[in-house]
Amino acid sequence: MMRRTIGYAAVGLVAFSLGCEARSHVEAVSIQDSAGVEVVDNHTPEWTDATRWHVAPGASLRLGSAGGPVETQFSEVVGALRTPEGLLFVADGASRQIRVFDRAGALHAVVGGAGDGPGEFRSLSALGVMEGKGVWAYDFLARRFTWLSLEAELLGTTTLPAEPPVLSAVGVLEGREPVLRQVWAATILAGAATAGFRRDPVAWVRFDASAVTVDTLGVFPGREVTLTSDAGRLVMNLPPFVHTSEGAVRGTRIVVGTQDSLRFEELDRGGALTRQIRLPTPSLAVTPAALEAELDRGVATVPPEQRTARRAALAALEHAASQPAHARLLFDAEGNLWIEPFGLPVEGSAPWSVVDRTGRWLGRIDLPGGFRMLDAGAGELIGVERDAFDVEEVVVYPLVKPSPR
């Protein structure tokens, strides 16, 4: 039986229960304490022009070609990461394989493929590293974790029970404890009686290594949907500007953001709130230009002959009055939190924000246009780009971190 330890309503209360005086960096950040919860209120970034991190102009490695070797033909890459030993793991969703390369780009190993057996995948959906102790992969349809060594050897699998339903992997804590969130409130939606726009709460849960549900870490706002009536039944649609709850896991730390603002909750492995991190939130108003850009993104992957109809259908859906404040959250190899901006251009990129291990906002960093980051190492960024023929390439860029003077 699951135990609720923290709800999103309670999290909001902590935001306004501030006490004590700021301890340091008054100009850039205020740090306060409320009943054992540290509140880090950032006002300005700490990087200067001399210390700001930046991405080197040229890639150090590029893998992917429609006419190249089979092992470098990628489609639907869902994860990529570098282990401390230097091996590059790439999770390819279309082939349902994890391909492993050395630093020079030579193939080291191939794990998986389509199937239900150990080491195989029905729907390879996420990839992550366990603090230098191994690599994990998650199969959304099979509700199964696959555990690999840092050398890509199969260590075993863990299949989760059927409840709660519709689970997406957030990460794995120390001790091989998976953290997952419900994508949407399936039980609540199944009982919905009226059409309209809604955002129901979802559970974030922690399992132990044997797949026993250990705890409900929290209940947070889930994915926004618009229910429409079709021939007497309700149909779920994803409207423009969908908000959801995003998170990241590293070691014993769990960070959650609800996308309503640049406010993030840091939880311990038991679900207790230990820190709140705030960054200045820009205007999130849905302007006509913002709506047009969102509709462009919504039809970018639709066949050209279907775009007009799809765009009209999206525009007709009831949606949130504000844009999401952020998109994905990632921890890098050093424990810094990377915050992806919402609304990346269809072609291009936008600055990510970086927050250090203490909750201080370091600043924003521009990524190369068209680069979708999947992992941030100590000195490199790993992600995916598309070439002129829309073929996916796995790309590694050096990350330059100037030393403070």
Side-chain angles (χ1 to χ4, degrees):
M1 179 177 294
M2 294 185 295
R3 173 176 59 86
R4 179 176 298 182
T5 58
I6 180 171
Y8 66 86
V11 170
L13 292 176
V14 174
F16 299 99
S17 302
L18 306 181
C20 304
E21 295 182 357
R23 295 197 298 264
S24 61
H25 293 281
V26 175
E27 302 84 0
V29 59
S30 302
I31 302 177
Q32 306 181 55
D33 186 271
S34 176
V37 176
E38 185 179 64
V39 181
V40 184
D41 198 358
N42 291 281
H43 309 299
T44 60
E46 296 200 353
W47 283 337
T48 65
D49 289 342
T51 61
R52 181 176 292 110
W53 297 355
H54 63 274
V55 180
S60 60
L61 181 66
R62 188 177 292 271
L63 298 172
S65 171
V70 173
E71 62 266 21
T72 61
Q73 294 179 18
F74 302 109
S75 181
E76 302 175 21
V77 174
V78 297
L81 59 86
R82 180 91 70 183
T83 67
E85 286 70 22
L87 291 178
L88 176 63
F89 284 62
V90 179
D92 185 75
S95 66
R96 284 166 275 187
Q97 293 178 335
I98 298 173
R99 303 173 195 168
V100 186
F101 303 87
D102 65 19
R103 284 199 176 274
L107 185 67
H108 173 80
V110 177
V111 179
D116 290 310
E120 297 176 331
F121 303 97
R122 291 171 59 191
S123 62
L124 181 56
S125 58
L127 184 75
V129 67
M130 297 179 292
E131 289 293 309
K133 297 181 180 179
V135 173
W136 60 266
Y138 181 61
D139 186 324
F140 178 81
L141 291 180
R143 295 171 66 93
R144 182 171 63 191
F145 280 85
T146 295
W147 312 105
L148 304 174
S149 74
L150 295 175
E151 292 293 327
E153 301 162 322
L154 179 63
L155 299 178
T157 62
T158 299
T159 301
L160 306 179
E163 294 291 336
V166 199
L167 290 179
S168 176
V170 180
V172 174
L173 293 163
E174 287 182 1
R176 201 185 283 186
E177 295 185 335
V179 173
L180 302 100
R181 62 179 171 88
Q182 290 182 287
V183 179
W184 54 75
T187 303
I188 297 175
L189 287 173
T194 58
F197 175 81
R198 57 192 296 152
R199 187 180 191 187
D200 297 301
V202 297
W204 287 52
V205 294
R206 173 171 63 97
F207 291 84
D208 66 13
S210 61
V212 175
T213 310
V214 175
D215 216 348
T216 298
L217 297 172
V219 178
F220 296 93
R223 178 174 291 183
E224 292 172 335
V225 300
T226 299
L227 299 180
T228 57
S229 181
D230 181 14
R233 64 189 182 94
L234 294 177
V235 178
M236 185 177 71
N237 305 272
L238 297 182
F241 305 110
V242 171
H243 292 66
T244 189
S245 293
E246 292 285 351
V249 173
R250 190 85 183 191
T252 60
R253 301 166 63 204
I254 306 164
V255 171
V256 181
T258 65
Q259 296 190 328
D260 297 308
S261 66
L262 292 178
R263 178 176 297 169
F264 307 94
E265 314 297 338
E266 187 167 328
L267 315 176
D268 66 18
R269 67 191 313 141
L273 179 63
T274 59
R275 177 185 290 152
Q276 186 178 91
I277 304 167
R278 302 174 180 177
L279 277 66
T281 301
S283 172
L284 302 175
V286 176
T287 63
L291 179 58
E292 288 300 309
E294 180 69 358
L295 294 176
D296 286 344
R297 284 187 289 271
V299 301
T301 59
V302 175
E305 65 274 12
Q306 300 176 15
R307 289 179 183 174
T308 299
R310 177 59 179 158
R311 187 184 182 91
L314 281 174
L317 292 175
E318 184 181 356
H319 57 76
S322 64
Q323 302 180 61
H326 62 88
R328 295 174 297 151
L329 306 178
L330 298 175
F331 275 123
D332 67 18
E334 297 175 338
N336 301 303
L337 179 67
W338 291 62
I339 304 164
E340 182 181 31
F342 173 78
L344 296 181
V346 175
E347 298 293 338
S349 190
W352 288 56
S353 289
V354 183
V355 174
D356 72 11
R357 293 181 63 92
T358 67
R360 289 174 172 81
W361 179 29
L362 298 180
R364 297 187 181 95
I365 178 170
D366 290 302
L367 305 190
F371 177 71
R372 178 169 62 92
M373 186 169 70
L374 298 173
D375 186 59
E380 63 184 11
L381 304 181
I382 302 169
V384 172
E385 294 179 353
R386 291 183 177 273
D387 67 13
F389 302 99
D390 203 34
V391 174
E392 283 185 306
E393 300 176 319
V394 175
V395 186
V396 180
Y397 283 102
L399 178 63
V400 182
K401 300 180 179 180
S403 299
R405 295 179 178 176

